[in-house]
């Protein structure tokens, strides 16, 4: 019998809240860089954080298509500023969706949940 009940198999509400707040401050700095680079006026209050991530990602994809830029991968390749922004926003979007899912699972009454049971059910 294998046991999974160690401290790394739980998702804690306090940790989710802390990481989400840190990510939001990084998002504000990244959004400021994107605004100065592309002469845009994106703003993002915390209430519309997820929707703003999606809007900026769509904007960056439009810029990619308009300027006909291909993203490069692998060793020895230099990424463009657009690709770096795109990857950072995409990664933040995935993390935000994970945090929202975790908060939805926990709700108001729970402080943690065992994440392996939710991975097995998917």
């Amino acid at each position: 019998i294998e046991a999974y009940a160690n401290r790394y198999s739980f998702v804690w509400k306090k940790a989710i809240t802390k990481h989400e707040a840190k990510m939001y401050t990084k998002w504000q700095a990244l959004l400021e860089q994107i605004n100065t680079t592309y002469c845009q006026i994106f703003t993002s209050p915390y209430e519309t954080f997820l929707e703003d991530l999606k809007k900026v990602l769509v904007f960056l994809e439009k810029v990619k298509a308009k300027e006909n830029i291909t993203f490069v991968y692998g060793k020895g390749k230099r990424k463009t500023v657009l690709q770096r922004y795109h990857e950072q926003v995409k990664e933040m979007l995935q993390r935000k969706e994970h945090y929202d899912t975790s908060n939805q699972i926990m709700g108001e009454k729970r402080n943690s949940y065992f994440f392996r049971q939710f991975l097995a059910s998917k």
Side-chain angles (χ1 to χ4, degrees):
I1 297 173
E2 189 174 349
Y4 290 113
N6 63 31
R7 71 181 201 167
Y8 301 111
S9 60
F10 286 89
V11 176
W12 303 98
K13 186 178 231 176
K14 196 173 186 180
I16 293 286
T17 306
K18 179 180 76 172
H19 291 304
E20 194 171 12
K22 283 184 181 180
M23 185 177 69
Y24 182 71
T25 58
K26 289 181 182 178
W27 165 243
Q28 291 296 326
L30 179 65
L31 194 60
E32 190 175 313
Q33 290 176 352
I34 291 171
N35 284 338
T36 56
T37 304
Y38 295 106
C39 300
Q40 295 295 315
I41 306 172
F42 288 116
T43 58
S44 179
Y46 189 76
E47 295 79 26
T48 61
F49 184 23
L50 185 64
E51 292 82 20
D52 294 333
L53 280 167
K54 291 177 183 177
K55 285 180 192 175
V56 171
L57 189 64
V58 167
F59 169 75
L60 293 174
E61 289 172 355
K62 285 181 182 177
V63 170
K64 176 188 172 192
K66 181 181 173 185
E67 295 179 4
N68 199 15
I69 295 174
T70 57
F71 289 168
V72 295
Y73 301 98
K75 190 174 181 179
K77 307 285 184 178
R78 294 205 184 264
K79 295 179 181 180
T80 61
V81 174
L82 176 67
Q83 183 176 356
R84 287 191 192 118
Y85 289 156
H86 186 272
E87 289 176 355
Q88 287 175 345
V89 171
K90 195 170 185 177
E91 189 261 334
M92 283 185 183
L93 179 64
Q94 291 171 349
R95 284 177 49 201
K96 176 64 176 159
E97 288 173 345
H98 171 70
Y99 294 155
D100 287 348
T101 304
S102 296
N103 284 328
Q104 183 182 9
I105 290 169
M106 283 185 270
E108 293 293 321
K109 296 182 180 182
R110 296 175 74 175
N111 287 326
S112 65
Y113 71 94
F114 184 64
F115 77 92
R116 292 194 191 263
Q117 81 187 65
F118 291 101
L119 290 177
S121 66
K122 289 185 178 181

